[in-house]
Amino acid sequence: MIGAMPAPLGAPVFNDPVIGILGGMGPAATADLLAKIAARTPVRRDQDHLRVVVWSNPKIPDRTLALQNRGPSPLPALIDGVARLQAMNVDMIAIACNTAHAFLDELQASDTTARFFNMISEAVRRTSQRYPEAERVGVLSTAGTRLAGLYAAECARLGLTAIELDDPHQARLVDTAIEGVKAARGFEQPASQIRQAVESLSDLGAEVVIAGCTEIPLVSYEASKVLPIVDATECLAEAIVDYASFDASPQPE
Amino acid sequence: MIGAMPAPLGAPVFNDPVIGILGGMGPAATADLLAKIAARTPVRRDQDHLRVVVWSNPKIPDRTLALQNRGPSPLPALIDGVARLQAMNVDMIAIACNTAHAFLDELQASDTTARFFNMISEAVRRTSQRYPEAERVGVLSTAGTRLAGLYAAECARLGLTAIELDDPHQARLVDTAIEGVKAARGFEQPASQIRQAVESLSDLGAEVVIAGCTEIPLVSYEASKVLPIVDATECLAEAIVDYASFDASPQPE
């Protein structure tokens, strides 16, 4: 360590990883994740940012329909995407879709050596760090994420109770809002639906709400006036930046 | 053609190309391009969107410094990026940086078989289509783009006069605004600088202004109250969607 130069004060110090993003589910949400990674990275100029490879494949079959046994599995397309990202020598892969995390165990069990960020566990962990008093965590997600129990299981693991909407509210407010964002039919109506959904979660005792579908943060501003909202996409971006950065203590030359 | 089925009315009809994006110059601008491609694509669901591969490499040396002979050439890193995208079997490549287009001829002369969109010519052509009466086109760009004469040459080719700022205005208003966006130090001051820059272009007789640096559309809303602004990033997104779509007339089976 002798002779090592500490980084100049205030300069960001990064490993130089290449981050892979499996995206396109949907594409606007992938753009949102990229923007949040850029915004969370402490920089002074372009060259301080992280290198990122994105495979944005909107053709990946609908995750919720597959979980409901109403459509083909997205697993082959997800495995294909991981292989493409690995061919680009990425160090870690982030999946820009909460619902796709229902297939994460199967992805890891496929013969890939890829390592993955887990957006679900990052979102729940960071929610509990940010709101340590909260015990009842509202979750807004696709019907597929809810059916797979992704947030319920992760909340339980951390001693928290996940509060989710019943079928009629899920369908009328959340599913419709997500479809509206994906179809880019204007964000006003989805924003109003998400606000109503958060009001319902508040009535059910939620103290904080996780926006656990990558489309929801695009329309959750109004809803954040009802309860604090933790954006799972933002949590994933933070995890990526945390992974890439190391502290500015002296490094061996 | 007999027996061919016309596409259902109102359904988007697309070729199925894979679009490559050479980005990271800077990363927020790349996210902006992805969001604009998604927003311009006529869809009803995720699966109607285009497949996109992004190589976001913020480490590519600064284009303007190279054009000013004050820094290393970005050409090797650009050639490397093109090779990575081609390894992902992309059909066409878009470069999410106006200034990097100063190296487009050299990129094409390298031994690549890649085909490129040209953001500069798309921006000027679409400006002249959208504002056919305009003869004097203001251009906001990096000092590098201005020095390379990219917009001036393309405007001249179409019989238009490019109006650009003098050195002091360029440095004080435009360069500072672009640096501010890249450093993500808040968008209020850059927005005010870009508005002042457009007021200066208006004083010089510009009738419409091209936002010819991918950082500028992120902060040009205030300026658009002074003169109409054509967003080169938006023009590139339109060119990509136009390339991928074909008309819904009957196709041979």
Side-chain angles (χ1 to χ4, degrees), chain A residues 17-93:
Chain A
V18 177
I19 305 298
I21 295 177
L22 190 51
M25 305 171 274
T30 298
D32 186 48
L33 174 60
L34 277 187
K36 282 169 179 164
I37 295 170
R40 302 293 308 188
T41 311
V43 302
R44 291 157 307 160
R45 50 180 197 142
D46 278 359
Q47 287 72 19
D48 298 328
H49 282 282
L50 297 171
R51 295 179 298 171
V52 176
V53 182
V54 183
W55 169 237
S56 178
N57 182 11
K59 315 295 181 193
I60 296 174
D62 189 282
R63 284 67 61 196
T64 289
L65 290 179
L67 291 165
Q68 293 170 334
N69 289 316
R70 297 196 294 141
S73 171
L75 189 62
L78 292 169
I79 291 175
D80 168 78
V82 168
R84 286 172 196 256
L85 291 170
Q86 285 210 286
M88 296 277 277
N89 294 314
V90 299
D91 293 288
M92 285 280 283
I93 293 177

Side-chain angles (χ1 to χ4, degrees), chain A residues 4-220:
Chain A
M5 285 287 291
L9 257 184
V13 180
F14 278 97
N15 283 309
D16 203 11
V18 177
I19 305 298
I21 295 177
L22 190 51
M25 305 171 274
T30 298
D32 186 48
L33 174 60
L34 277 187
K36 282 169 179 164
I37 295 170
R40 302 293 308 188
T41 311
V43 302
R44 291 157 307 160
R45 50 180 197 142
D46 278 359
Q47 287 72 19
D48 298 328
H49 282 282
L50 297 171
R51 295 179 298 171
V52 176
V53 182
V54 183
W55 169 237
S56 178
N57 182 11
K59 315 295 181 193
I60 296 174
D62 189 282
R63 284 67 61 196
T64 289
L65 290 179
L67 291 165
Q68 293 170 334
N69 289 316
R70 297 196 294 141
S73 171
L75 189 62
L78 292 169
I79 291 175
D80 168 78
V82 168
R84 286 172 196 256
L85 291 170
Q86 285 210 286
M88 296 277 277
N89 294 314
V90 299
D91 293 288
M92 285 280 283
I93 293 177
I95 304 171
C97 172
N98 286 267
T99 317
H101 283 68
F103 303 89
L104 188 56
D105 287 346
E106 286 174 277
L107 260 178
Q108 283 175 319
S110 72
D111 63 353
T112 181
T113 56
R115 292 185 303 153
F116 296 89
F117 294 96
N118 186 320
M119 176 157 41
I120 313 292
S121 55
E122 292 295 341
V124 176
R125 187 169 65 83
R126 289 166 196 266
T127 300
S128 95
Q129 285 172 348
R130 228 169 279 171
Y131 300 95
E133 310 283 301
E135 291 174 3
R136 295 170 69 81
V137 176
V139 178
L140 291 174
S141 71
T142 63
T145 297
R146 196 185 58 144
L147 182 63
L150 298 181
Y151 276 102
E154 189 63 24
C155 284
R157 213 174 61 81
L158 270 65
L160 301 169
T161 303
I163 310 290
E164 299 184 289
L165 295 172
D166 59 19
D167 284 345
H169 284 82
Q170 173 75 30
R172 185 170 60 82
L173 298 176
V174 187
D175 297 351
T176 318
I178 293 169
E179 279 163 29
V181 173
K182 284 185 185 290
R185 284 194 300 260
F187 285 179
E188 201 172 323
Q189 198 175 3
S192 157
Q193 290 160 335
I194 292 302
R195 184 187 168 115
Q196 290 174 61
V198 170
E199 282 165 355
S200 297
L201 290 171
S202 176
D203 292 344
L204 295 169
E207 297 153 272
V208 55
V209 171
I210 295 177
C213 165
T214 51
E215 268 68 29
I216 293 174
L218 305 178
V219 291
S220 66

Side-chain angles (χ1 to χ4, degrees), chain B residues 212-237:
Chain B
C213 166
T214 50
E215 268 68 30
I216 292 174
L218 305 179
V219 291
S220 65
Y221 175 72
E222 277 303 311
S224 71
K225 298 173 184 167
V226 180
L227 278 181
I229 293 186
V230 176
D231 170 357
T233 308
E234 184 90 43
C235 294
L236 179 58

